[in-house]
Amino acid sequence: MDLVIAFALIVLLFAVLGSGLWIGLSLLAVALIGMEVFTQRPVGDSMMLTIWGSTSSWTLTALPLFLWMGEILFRSKLSDDMFKGLAPWLDRLPGRLLHTNVVGCTIFAAISGSSAATCATIGKITLPELKKRGYPDDIAVGTLAGAGTLGLLIPPSIIMIVYGVAANVSIAKLFLAGVIPGLLLAALFMGYIVVWALFNKDKVPAADAAMTFGEKLYASRHLIPVVSLIALVLGGIYSGIATATEAAALGVGGALILAKIEGSLDWARFKEGLVAACRVYCMIGLILAGAAFLTLAMGFIGLPRHLAEFIGALHLAPFNLMLLLIVFFIILGCFLDGISMVVLTIAVLLPTVEAAGFDLIWFGIFIVLVVEMAQITPPVGFNLFVLQGLTRRDVTWIARTAMPLFFLMIAAVMTTYFFPDVVLWLPRRMQG
């Protein structure tokens, strides 16, 4: 009966989303109906506490700060300088400056730990520059949607911390375990760009004039401000001096100082950047609030628990179990955020996973990879919403452009299953 109710709510969610209502309000409306009709819980109190809890998190404070940092970079010469510094090294690769999406997201993922922050910040920098240079919108947006998910996999990662606490495994080992899969996924994304460019040579703008190695090194001086900013944020996090949120504040301060030194920051641009960051964060915040309340409603109805118990009762072979868990988490990720997926299901799934012989460190990276897929899967793919706010494009169009990268993520999951040392090699070195 609970599954029938949950299915009815899912159909209702699709209907409301199709009506054109804002995503966040759609999630809130469906959750409100589910709580009011199918549970005995006090809806008003539950909604108030859930929305307040989801939007007042200290960790979440890093998101608007990183968004503001991206706006500052976008409105200053620093974003253009990043392209000047990267272009000589990437211009000879098939796909040329499209690789800045992947390289930029890989670097920023090591700063933010958030998929939404990575996608929004790098998108503010790269999308206008790629459009100005004549790169097609579909490949630019699609590769950014996929590469933005690296914010979950490359440490530090908020979802790894949640899983580590829930599964009682070492968070430090989880962080190490995410490094090689993260770089592997970035390499797969860049490989896709290369293949796309080889088959679409007419869509790739012409390369700039050839440069010697010395000239490339000299052009790399433009990267010094951005690299210094990254070093400031990363150094603050990994030295233990600052939390991710405090490091985000350092990043904003550093970006303001660099923009002022370069002479590209005035009062008008300062206000424009602040207002734009607030708008994007308000959009994301409303979605987070709606997703949190829908997660609560689904939890009370029992959908995640019943599905997890159903999977455990099947007693599948390890490979078949992994395939079913991929489908399970992708479907669940269509309607819940990644952290909620972990919190609601991990306690029920762990006995089944351990009985199948899966290493819990490996399983943590597996979950992160599958949650990454959910970030670009409609209707509740957060990266899709972020890019919708940046590009004003339809969510389904953005999802179609990101679909090839979705399949690359499946390939990455299969690689980690058949070659588990891709995940476990670094943690074992730590153990030794």
Side-chain angles (χ1 to χ4, degrees):
M1 183 62 185
D2 289 336
L3 291 178
V4 174
I5 295 171
F7 180 75
L9 288 178
I10 290 170
V11 173
L12 177 62
L13 177 60
F14 273 106
V16 175
L17 288 171
S19 71
L21 186 66
W22 289 358
I23 302 294
L25 294 181
S26 298
L27 299 176
L28 285 170
V30 173
L32 180 63
I33 292 171
M35 289 282 287
E36 186 69 48
V37 176
F38 301 115
T39 74
Q40 302 299 318
R41 303 283 177 171
V43 179
D45 291 346
S46 299
M47 177 184 283
M48 178 182 66
L49 291 172
T50 303
I51 291 177
W52 173 254
S54 66
T55 54
S56 63
S57 164
W58 170 248
T59 305
L60 189 63
T61 310
L63 181 54
L65 290 172
F66 279 125
L67 289 172
W68 191 17
M69 187 177 84
E71 290 289 346
I72 296 166
L73 296 176
F74 168 62
R75 283 172 167 75
S76 69
K77 296 176 183 177
L78 296 174
S79 60
D80 191 49
D81 284 348
M82 188 180 82
F83 269 77
K84 288 179 182 176
L86 288 175
W89 302 100
L90 300 176
D91 215 28
R92 296 299 151 183
L93 287 176
R96 299 195 176 94
L97 295 184
L98 287 171
H99 292 285
T100 56
N101 274 341
V102 181
V103 175
C105 286
T106 303
I107 294 171
F108 194 80
I111 302 174
S112 70
S114 163
S115 174
T118 299
C119 189
T121 304
I122 299 302
K124 277 290 182 181
I125 297 171
T126 61
L127 289 183
E129 295 292 336
L130 291 172
K131 188 175 184 67
K132 185 169 66 177
R133 286 165 168 78
Y135 288 87
D137 285 348
D138 55 351
I139 187 68
V141 173
T143 53
L144 178 62
T149 64
L150 292 170
L152 294 178
L153 187 57
I154 295 178
S157 168
I158 296 171
I159 196 169
M160 285 187 191
I161 297 172
V162 173
Y163 172 82
V165 172
N168 194 28
V169 298
S170 168
I171 293 172
K173 289 183 180 180
L174 280 172
F175 280 2
L176 283 176
V179 172
I180 295 178
L183 296 177
L184 169 66
L185 204 53
L188 287 174
F189 292 161
M190 293 182 73
Y192 165 69
I193 293 173
V194 168
V195 172
W196 178 89
L198 292 176
F199 283 94
N200 297 273
K201 294 181 180 179
D202 57 321
K203 296 182 180 179
V204 180
D208 296 332
M211 300 174 69
T212 66
F213 183 75
E215 289 172 333
K216 290 180 180 180
L217 284 178
Y218 183 69
S220 296
R221 74 189 189 281
H222 295 292
L223 290 173
I224 293 175
V226 176
V227 171
S228 300
L229 186 61
I230 291 170
L232 174 67
V233 177
L234 277 179
I237 293 174
Y238 285 111
S239 67
I241 296 174
T243 64
T245 302
E246 292 163 347
L250 285 174
V252 170
L256 288 170
I257 292 170
L258 288 173
K260 187 63 178 178
I261 291 173
E262 287 201 344
S264 56
L265 181 69
D266 53 28
W267 181 243
R269 288 182 178 177
F270 176 86
K271 288 192 296 183
E272 288 172 4
L274 187 57
V275 170
C278 287
R279 284 175 177 165
V280 175
Y281 178 69
C282 286
M283 174 198 69
I284 297 172
L286 182 59
I287 294 168
L288 286 171
F293 191 42
L294 181 60
T295 296
L296 183 71
M298 290 291 192
F300 282 142
I301 292 169
L303 175 62
R305 177 172 52 83
H306 284 295
L307 286 177
E309 289 174 349
F310 172 74
I311 291 173
L314 293 177
H315 304 294
L316 297 172
F319 182 72
N320 294 333
L321 176 62
M322 182 203 66
L323 293 179
L324 185 59
L325 285 174
I326 290 175
V327 175
F328 168 64
F329 279 111
I330 289 175
I331 293 174
L332 208 58
C334 290
F335 309 100
L336 305 177
D337 66 279
I339 291 176
S340 300
M341 288 163 58
V342 172
V343 171
L344 289 173
T345 62
I346 199 64
V348 181
L349 285 176
L350 275 183
T352 303
V353 168
E354 290 182 288
F358 290 137
D359 184 280
L360 292 186
I361 296 290
W362 178 91
F363 187 68
I365 301 305
F366 165 82
I367 285 183
V368 174
L369 282 167
V370 180
V371 169
E372 281 186 330
M373 297 180 206
Q375 298 292 305
I376 54 175
T377 306
V380 187
F382 282 171
N383 278 21
L384 303 182
F385 299 145
V386 171
L387 286 173
Q388 184 186 40
L390 293 177
T391 64
R392 304 300 177 191
R393 292 277 197 159
D394 185 72
V395 167
T396 54
W397 179 86
I398 300 172
R400 285 197 303 271
T401 65
M403 193 54 62
L405 288 89
F406 175 87
F407 290 115
L408 287 176
M409 291 180 194
I410 294 179
V413 172
M414 293 300 175
T415 301
T416 62
Y417 177 81
F418 289 109
F419 304 98
D421 279 349
V422 170
V423 174
L424 299 175
W425 186 79
L426 276 178
R428 284 170 179 165
R429 299 287 79 72
M430 174 185 174
Q431 190 173 6

